[in-house]
Amino acid sequence: MLANGNVQIILGNGGRIFCNNVHANIPNDTATLSGNVLIAQNQMLINKGETTKVTLDRKTGKGKWHGPGQALFLNVPFDMKPDKRIPRPSSTTTIPNHITMRAVWNDAMLLDQSSATETNAIDLIGNVTVRSRRTKYELSKMTGEFLRLELNAVHNSKSAKESTLDTVIIRDFATVERRLWDENNPSAR
């Protein structure tokens, strides 16, 4: 199957993929997405530029984002209307005040949802930088050549699965920095 243009794919978990081109091999459950790829899911947005290529394999539960990218983690979920086309989210106009963590990488992102347990993993490879700001008085930064995020699926009050960040592993020339300011004396920054 081929699709070109303003492609929008609804995922089984309610997330969306936006891209310019899809080449899917339906009997093999594989797809290659290219162009301006953007993945929006619950409180996460993954994107980067016009020339991204993503390969997905539903049978193995694995995927690869070829080349550089960024992942934004938000404090509010996207409004994903089921079974209806939605406007493409923009990381520059609609969500800058809601970003709690931004991760950027240069080489690749590997997705693994193949685990028999309820743990999923995201590996970021190549000059990885992660900045996190949970409150205006806290700032964290991690850098390294490899970052692994392990997410656990939990059931919310509506019996739907949501992912929560469980483990972060950073390695290969890794640095970790965390800064806290006294909220009673914010000028001490």
Side-chain angles (χ1 to χ4, degrees), residues 44 46 65 67-73 101-111 121-131 142-150 168-172:
M44 183 171 61
I46 303 170
W65 181 289
Q70 76 171 345
L72 305 175
F73 298 84
M101 185 170 81
R102 179 186 310 264
V104 295
W105 64 91
N106 283 347
D107 296 341
M109 176 182 64
L110 305 177
L111 304 168
I122 300 172
D123 295 335
L124 307 178
I125 303 166
N127 196 25
V128 179
T129 300
V130 178
R131 294 179 190 272
M142 294 183 290
T143 62
E145 287 300 310
F146 176 89
L147 174 79
R148 181 177 187 87
L149 302 171
E150 293 180 355
V168 177
I169 301 167
I170 186 111
R171 67 172 202 238
D172 301 334

Side-chain angles (χ1 to χ4, degrees), residues 32-136:
T32 301
L33 316 169
S34 59
N36 191 354
V37 178
L38 181 143
I39 301 170
Q41 181 175 323
N42 197 13
Q43 292 177 251
M44 183 171 61
L45 182 139
I46 303 170
N47 70 338
K48 189 64 174 183
E50 295 285 331
T51 58
T52 303
K53 178 182 170 189
V54 178
T55 54
L56 303 170
D57 186 327
R58 191 166 70 167
K59 284 183 183 175
T60 65
K62 297 189 179 203
K64 181 174 183 180
W65 181 289
H66 303 263
Q70 76 171 345
L72 305 175
F73 298 84
L74 313 172
N75 61 7
V76 294
F78 284 105
D79 183 14
M80 302 290 183
K81 297 170 185 66
D83 301 329
K84 293 184 181 177
R85 194 169 184 83
I86 64 170
R88 180 186 179 101
S90 168
S91 61
T92 57
T93 58
T94 58
I95 59 171
N97 295 328
H98 300 291
I99 298 171
T100 59
M101 185 170 81
R102 179 186 310 264
V104 295
W105 64 91
N106 283 347
D107 296 341
M109 176 182 64
L110 305 177
L111 304 168
D112 186 352
Q113 296 180 324
S114 63
S115 177
T117 66
E118 302 242 336
T119 301
N120 297 325
I122 300 172
D123 295 335
L124 307 178
I125 303 166
N127 196 25
V128 179
T129 300
V130 178
R131 294 179 190 272
S132 173
R133 181 179 289 272
R134 291 186 181 179
T135 70
K136 62 183 177 178

Side-chain angles (χ1 to χ4, degrees), residues 153-168:
V154 294
H155 296 276
N156 66 18
S157 60
K158 299 175 187 172
S159 295
K161 284 186 182 178
E162 292 182 352
S163 293
T164 59
L165 183 60
D166 183 54
T167 305
V168 177

